[in-house]
Amino acid sequence: MNYTTKEISNITNSTLIGEENLQVKTIHFDSRNIFSSIEAAFIAINSEKNTGEKYIRSAVDKGIKIIISENKLAGFPEVTWIIVENAIRFLQQLAHYHLRQFSLKTIGITGSNGKTVVKEWLYQSVFDQFITVKSPKSFNSQIGLPLSLLQINNKHELGIFEVGISKPSEMEILEEIFSPEIGVLTHIGAAHSSNFISEDQLIEEKIKLFQHSKVIIFNGDHHEVSEKLNQKYADKKHISFGLKISNDVHFENDWATKTEPLVVNFCGELITIPIQQRDEATLSNALCTISLLKELGIGTEIIIEKINNLKSVEMRLESVTGLRDNLIINDSYNLDLDSLKIAYHFINEYNKPQKSLILTDFVEGKNSEKLYHDVAELTNRQKFHQIFLIGTEITQYHDLFNDETITFKNTDELIKSHVLNQIENQLILLKGARKFEIERVKTYLELQKHDTILEIKLNAILHNINVHKSVLKPETKMMAMVKAYSYGLGGYEIAEFLQHHHIDYLGVAYADEGVDLRKNGISTPIMVMNPEQHSYNIIIDYKLEPEIYSFRVLELFTAELKQKGIQKKYPIHIKLETGMHRLGFKSNEVDNLIQLLNTLDVKVASIFSHLATSDIEDEKNYTLGQITEFTAMSDRLIAGLGYQPLRHLLNSSGIVNFSEHQFDMVRIGIGMIGISSNAAIKSKLQNAVTFKSVISQISNISAGDSVGYSRNYKAEVSTRIATLPVGYADGIPRLIGNGVGTVGIRGNLYSIVGNVCMDMMMVDLKNENQIVEGEEVIIFNSQPSLEEFADYCKTIPYEVLTSISRRVKRIYVKN
Ligand SMILES: *Cc1c(COP(=O)(O)O)cnc(C)c1O
């Protein structure tokens, strides 16, 4: 969206107090997630539980200058207010207006389960054929849907939006703002929210979404759904899908037999598709996606290829190898009777001699007595070895369960009891409502698999970005450098988090990295710094923007544009050489560059250069020289082009040490992780990365015993040696062995002794008797710090991070 404050107040009939011509491109509703205040407004949404107005102060502190609220608060002299009668209604009115400014094709997906999966699968399958906009995550509510719709711009050809309701009458409101051309009903669950009196009512409410749809694609396995749709919308085009063969789209062969490839019958056409996972939910979602692709006119061959490449979306059933030969099936996505059935079906595909169940309270549903009777009946058919019930509700019904049943008030109590340690060679099904955080049990049970992990704190990254932003003008844009697998921290996970927080640009080194991000749903503009000649083709296909650093690259790239018949001005980034002596156009080439650019079908999106020594105080004059050179060269270029591309020069150190020269955008990298060359800034940053492992074994050795290969370490006195399951293949350089480096255990440092091995290393615990096997070992975070660890390795944090091998599991935590 892009409206002025005046336009917004006109569109929504609300009162504007303050400036009329401020631009609004984003509306934030959660002040914790405000990351960019440029052209952004904050809306204070009051709910039963919470008054949004409480958060206006924190939004304003983050630089927000426009507040949308039901009440004007005193004490904000700089703020422009849009005073509305009802904040949610306001969003809906604005979205209603906004959507009608465009003519994209729209798909609306509703249903009890599967909305997000179908949306994401469809997106993954079509984003390279249509410019597509979709709901972020599962934004589908009275607030989420309008915010999703506000993302639409005039480039979009297709919009895929989830629509969810939690009580009667909500759908009418949502349908009024959003009447999708193609309506989709994924699945109606047996368990419905207690706000509906009956399943009938639920169905009737959901299908109101289709009032103005041309096509309805629905799960026909549910008899009442088909019936109601036929009654109400007889005149529309219907496509039913489902596991029953009466559907227009169904499986031709027995879908439960894993050995055979699946054959889909799409209205008579037979299509063989590769799907490994054979649970009912996955298969129904796949049929739904195929129906949609067909309706969008996608060819069968492409459909097969796309279905083959789908990646699971927050797979509800995840199987991981546990300690003591256990197999853990984790399904903590949602908990209702349907999903319990699916889970029971799923676990029977594994042949483990015994199985145990961990099950929590079902959070929804009024009639708990009936519900738990049903749960127990289903469960009793399974014959579990042991059942662990968690929660104050379900435990009251423990008598209903036939197998050995143990009860716990909460998840902590279960973990602390250590009863799980006795389970061996079993399948353990974890089935929990979200609030029980049953994943913690999973982590506990699977400990050994990921003894060595790199833990990334996403909120620390956000905090660090905000610290850097605090020295910049609010309107300065920010590019996050996510090259080299985001400095080793992970590919799309980091980029997705940054995108969610409205980073303006992403920077990668190679086209492949950018393609990977696009395939994972990253739509933020991406600059590619090393556009290799063989990759121009995919750069264009995936809407990546190349860095152009020489005439050779410019000519080759524009030749590729021509060959692909790209007419409109393609965005490129011009790199200027100002003192790094690496890549870039030189000062004496600028005139020719202008001439050439003015004849080509490209648009210079930005002009930039890179500082060689922004982190070194003594080289300040060199940096200032680069800044002067960059200013002069880019001034000439801009004058010659006749339009104003973005200019950017500063990396993380540049931001904090030369903030007066921020131009239009900056490029943050290592600063996000918590490293800074500026002590004042460094003290405000949070450490975003922890590399840790555990002790596999502790051995007592005697004086004279040697440790490890080549016997490079010999104990002078008897001591305790801990062996850690991490070595040079994980990215620990061999040169930190033999007493050079240390690790942290319980806050103290212990020396690495002997040679570091490929997959292990040894640490001298001296006579510390308290430390036990299985304990956590810090390779770096605070003690030792990443900088200290880099010193042991005689290198810099950048190389340490990018050397941590891919086999080390990355774990992302929010807090
Ligand atoms: C990597 C990189 C950055 C980021 O550098 P940091 O020192 O990590 O902030 C900025 N600009 C360019 C061109 C880069 O390659």
Side-chain angles (χ1 to χ4, degrees):
M1 62 179 275
N2 188 3
Y3 298 107
T4 63
T5 38
K6 176 82 185 156
E7 284 165 339
I8 291 181
S9 93
N10 286 345
I11 294 166
T12 59
N13 253 325
S14 35
T15 313
L16 177 66
I17 307 173
E19 292 192 40
E20 295 194 343
N21 287 319
L22 297 180
Q23 218 68 34
V24 181
K25 290 193 180 159
T26 333
I27 298 179
H28 293 284
F29 68 101
D30 184 340
S31 63
R32 289 168 302 182
N33 289 343
I34 297 176
F35 153 77
S36 163
S37 59
I38 311 160
E39 299 180 330
F42 173 73
I43 184 162
I45 297 179
N46 296 329
S47 66
E48 278 162 29
K49 295 193 208 102
N50 221 335
T51 42
E53 284 150 24
K54 280 199 302 228
Y55 304 105
I56 290 179
R57 168 56 62 197
S58 99
V60 172
D61 287 347
K62 289 187 170 172
I64 293 283
K65 299 212 161 51
I66 306 161
I67 300 287
I68 303 160
S69 167
E70 291 165 17
N71 298 296
K72 179 175 184 297
L73 307 193
F76 294 93
E78 311 255 282
V79 162
T80 290
W81 295 84
I82 298 177
I83 303 299
V84 300
E85 225 175 272
N86 175 308
I88 296 177
R89 194 67 206 130
F90 161 89
L91 279 179
Q92 295 173 345
Q93 281 173 330
L94 189 61
H96 178 265
Y97 173 88
H98 184 69
L99 176 62
R100 275 151 191 80
Q101 308 313 304
F102 307 99
S103 57
L104 75 171
K105 197 179 200 61
T106 50
I107 299 177
I109 308 179
T110 190
S112 311
N113 291 322
K115 293 188 289 291
T116 306
V117 175
V118 169
K119 179 199 69 190
E120 293 296 331
W121 280 359
L122 185 63
Y123 179 79
Q124 286 175 29
S125 308
V126 298
F127 77 93
D128 54 352
Q129 341 228 349
F130 305 103
I131 301 175
T132 306
V133 51
K134 63 171 169 115
S135 331
K137 316 240 169 219
S138 30
F139 269 33
N140 59 33
S141 64
Q142 300 282 311
I143 300 167
L145 178 67
L147 287 172
S148 302
L149 294 172
L150 287 171
Q151 304 174 105
I152 299 173
N153 65 40
N154 57 13
K155 295 209 193 82
H156 290 134
E157 298 162 335
L158 178 67
I160 316 172
F161 299 100
E162 284 180 49
V163 187
I165 54 172
S166 54
K167 43 180 191 278
S169 83
E170 286 188 337
M171 190 58 96
E172 233 158 281
I173 301 172
L174 294 179
E175 200 275 337
E176 197 187 307
I177 32 177
F178 176 54
S179 350
E181 183 178 328
I182 303 178
V184 180
L185 181 61
T186 50
H187 175 80
I188 291 285
H192 54 82
S193 140
S194 49
N195 291 326
F196 294 89
I197 32 177
S198 63
E199 191 180 272
D200 254 17
Q201 188 196 27
L202 176 72
I203 298 172
E204 264 167 33
E205 283 297 324
K206 294 227 160 174
I207 66 175
K208 283 188 183 156
L209 177 64
F210 310 141
Q211 270 176 70
H212 296 92
S213 301
K214 294 201 184 112
V215 184
I216 305 173
I217 297 178
F218 65 98
N219 188 325
D221 285 346
H222 201 295
H223 182 66
E224 283 75 26
V225 168
S226 316
E227 205 145 74
K228 281 195 195 304
L229 284 171
N230 282 332
Q231 274 166 17
K232 190 156 180 197
Y233 299 125
D235 52 332
K236 298 185 193 293
K237 174 170 172 186
H238 290 205
I239 303 174
S240 65
F241 66 86
L243 300 174
K244 295 189 184 154
I245 54 168
S246 53
N247 289 300
D248 301 325
V249 188
H250 60 264
F251 291 109
E252 194 61 18
N253 51 352
D254 175 15
W255 50 267
T257 317
K258 265 205 163 172
T259 44
E260 276 182 58
L262 284 171
V263 180
V264 174
N265 182 326
F266 179 85
C267 305
E269 180 189 351
L270 299 186
I271 308 170
T272 305
I273 53 163
I275 297 185
Q276 278 315 312
Q277 182 123 4
R278 299 281 170 100
D279 64 278
E280 294 182 29
T282 303
L283 293 176
S284 299
N285 291 335
L287 288 176
C288 183
T289 308
I290 292 167
S291 309
L292 275 160
L293 292 170
K294 274 280 182 188
E295 181 57 31
L296 291 172
I298 311 284
T300 304
E301 243 148 65
I302 299 185
I303 292 181
I304 295 171
E305 179 197 323
K306 297 292 178 187
I307 297 289
N308 196 15
N309 289 333
L310 288 181
K311 45 174 223 86
S312 54
V313 181
E314 201 173 344
M315 271 305 302
R316 22 187 318 161
L317 292 156
E318 163 199 27
S319 62
V320 292
T321 316
L323 291 167
R324 295 174 294 275
D325 291 327
N326 292 315
L327 177 75
I328 302 157
I329 308 288
N330 177 32
D331 179 3
S332 28
Y333 188 63
N334 63 358
L335 180 55
D336 56 31
L337 263 187
D338 275 337
S339 72
L340 191 66
K341 267 186 224 162
I342 294 171
Y344 287 165
H345 175 81
F346 187 75
I347 58 175
N348 287 320
E349 294 191 2
Y350 291 89
N351 51 358
K352 275 275 178 194
Q354 282 186 324
K355 51 193 190 224
S356 284
L357 169 70
I358 299 174
L359 185 66
T360 71
D361 282 354
F362 285 51
V363 184
E364 254 192 275
K366 269 195 297 213
N367 186 350
S368 52
E369 173 139 18
K370 161 100 174 60
L371 173 68
Y372 289 115
H373 269 96
D374 291 349
V375 169
E377 195 196 309
L378 261 180
T379 306
N380 288 339
R381 280 187 232 151
Q382 293 296 320
K383 311 243 178 310
F384 285 105
H385 174 65
Q386 282 179 313
I387 298 175
F388 305 91
L389 299 177
I390 308 177
T392 48
E393 239 180 64
I394 196 167
T395 49
Q396 294 172 32
Y397 299 95
H398 71 271
D399 284 348
L400 301 175
F401 295 86
N402 295 345
D403 309 308
E404 181 188 343
T405 302
I406 311 175
T407 60
F408 301 91
K409 279 203 289 296
N410 52 42
T411 306
D412 254 358
E413 207 184 87
L414 169 65
I415 293 176
K416 293 216 176 100
S417 74
H418 296 294
V419 289
L420 297 174
N421 295 350
Q422 273 128 46
I423 306 183
E424 269 180 37
N425 195 20
Q426 290 197 24
L427 181 152
I428 308 173
L429 174 64
L430 307 186
K431 196 77 186 88
R434 278 192 183 184
K435 72 166 195 194
F436 286 92
E437 295 177 356
I438 204 99
E439 312 78 62
R440 291 187 6 240
V441 179
K442 182 189 118 191
T443 315
Y444 179 78
L445 288 168
E446 71 166 345
L447 198 63
Q448 246 166 23
K449 185 176 167 204
H450 304 305
D451 278 352
T452 303
I453 61 168
L454 193 67
E455 185 180 274
I456 296 117
K457 292 198 174 68
L458 294 171
N459 281 354
I461 292 180
L462 186 60
H463 168 88
N464 295 339
I465 287 179
N466 281 328
V467 170
H468 285 79
K469 287 218 153 192
S470 71
V471 302
L472 298 171
K473 289 181 275 189
E475 63 270 23
T476 302
K477 293 183 188 302
M478 192 173 260
M479 177 185 283
M481 304 311 290
V482 292
K483 61 195 182 205
Y485 198 57
S486 288
Y487 289 39
L489 305 189
Y492 77 93
E493 292 90 347
I494 304 287
E496 181 170 64
F497 180 74
L498 296 169
Q499 167 166 301
H500 186 71
H501 290 286
H502 305 281
I503 196 84
D504 299 290
Y505 251 99
L506 294 169
V508 297
Y510 293 99
D512 291 359
E513 300 174 348
V515 170
D516 227 39
L517 297 182
R518 286 279 185 261
K519 285 189 173 164
N520 283 289
I522 304 294
S523 54
T524 303
I526 299 175
M527 179 175 91
V528 179
M529 292 190 293
N530 287 291
E532 299 162 293
Q533 194 174 336
H534 67 82
S535 67
Y536 295 160
N537 188 12
I538 57 166
I539 285 187
I540 298 166
D541 284 351
Y542 286 87
K543 304 195 171 63
L544 305 172
E545 304 175 7
E547 163 182 330
I548 302 289
Y549 52 82
S550 70
F551 287 110
R552 182 182 65 89
V553 177
L554 182 58
E555 278 155 22
L556 288 168
F557 185 74
T558 48
E560 181 74 22
L561 284 173
K562 200 166 265 156
Q563 194 185 344
K564 288 182 85 87
I566 306 285
Q567 298 289 331
K568 55 180 196 254
K569 300 254 177 197
Y570 198 90
I572 60 168
H573 300 264
I574 298 290
K575 174 75 164 286
L576 300 178
E577 164 50 46
T578 60
M580 181 87 173
H581 300 296
R582 195 168 65 174
L583 294 176
F585 288 97
K586 325 269 180 299
S587 182
N588 63 10
E589 293 174 323
V590 169
D591 293 332
N592 283 344
L593 179 61
I594 294 169
Q595 268 195 346
L596 189 56
L597 285 171
N598 284 333
T599 64
L600 295 170
D601 268 341
V602 292
K603 175 180 151 229
V604 179
S606 86
I607 304 170
F608 75 108
S609 187
H610 194 37
L611 297 175
T613 67
S614 61
D615 55 337
I616 301 175
E617 177 71 31
D618 286 353
E619 293 284 5
K620 190 166 179 191
N621 284 336
Y622 191 82
T623 303
L624 291 172
Q626 276 198 279
I627 292 169
T628 309
E629 180 69 4
F630 178 67
T631 310
M633 281 173 76
S634 56
D635 277 348
R636 275 165 65 208
L637 189 50
I638 290 170
L641 288 174
Y643 58 93
Q644 190 93 41
L646 295 174
R647 283 197 271 193
H648 46 112
L649 179 63
L650 306 181
N651 60 348
S652 304
S653 285
I655 296 171
V656 294
N657 296 332
F658 297 91
S659 60
E660 325 79 273
H661 306 285
Q662 54 194 273
F663 297 95
D664 308 307
M665 181 155 78
V666 296
R667 300 184 306 270
I668 192 169
I670 199 86
M672 290 190 281
I673 292 157
I675 303 275
S676 186
S677 58
N678 179 313
I681 294 288
K682 168 77 192 166
S683 70
K684 294 187 196 161
L685 298 178
Q686 292 172 1
N687 181 9
V689 194
T690 303
F691 191 9
K692 61 184 176 188
S693 189
V694 297
I695 299 176
S696 312
Q697 190 175 35
I698 296 178
S699 315
N700 293 311
I701 64 168
S702 312
D705 285 351
S706 66
V707 171
Y709 286 121
S710 316
R711 308 191 62 206
N712 266 358
Y713 171 79
K714 292 198 181 101
E716 279 169 18
V717 291
S718 64
T719 186
R720 301 178 83 211
I721 298 288
T723 304
L724 317 181
V726 55
Y728 57 78
D730 299 289
I732 307 267
R734 204 163 162 277
L735 63 82
I736 74 166
N738 297 309
V740 175
T742 61
V743 298
I745 306 172
R746 297 188 179 196
N748 296 317
L749 294 177
Y750 295 90
S751 268
I752 301 168
V753 291
N755 287 332
V756 172
C757 318
M758 188 185 289
D759 313 301
M760 283 178 260
M761 62 188 194
M762 278 67 84
V763 169
D764 186 358
L765 299 179
K766 305 277 181 201
N767 291 316
E768 177 52 75
N769 283 320
Q770 297 294 312
I771 297 172
V772 296
E773 293 178 353
E775 244 183 85
E776 180 178 273
V777 178
I778 300 296
I779 299 163
F780 60 74
N781 75 343
S782 47
Q783 204 178 16
S785 67
L786 171 54
E787 291 94 328
E788 284 163 338
F789 184 85
D791 281 345
Y792 304 150
C793 306
K794 300 200 168 33
T795 182
I796 51 176
Y798 300 79
E799 190 183 346
V800 168
L801 291 171
T802 53
S803 304
I804 297 171
S805 92
R806 292 285 182 105
R807 85 173 182 194
V808 174
K809 173 139 171 115
R810 272 70 173 167
I811 291 186
Y812 303 90
V813 293
K814 277 264 163 70
N815 294 307

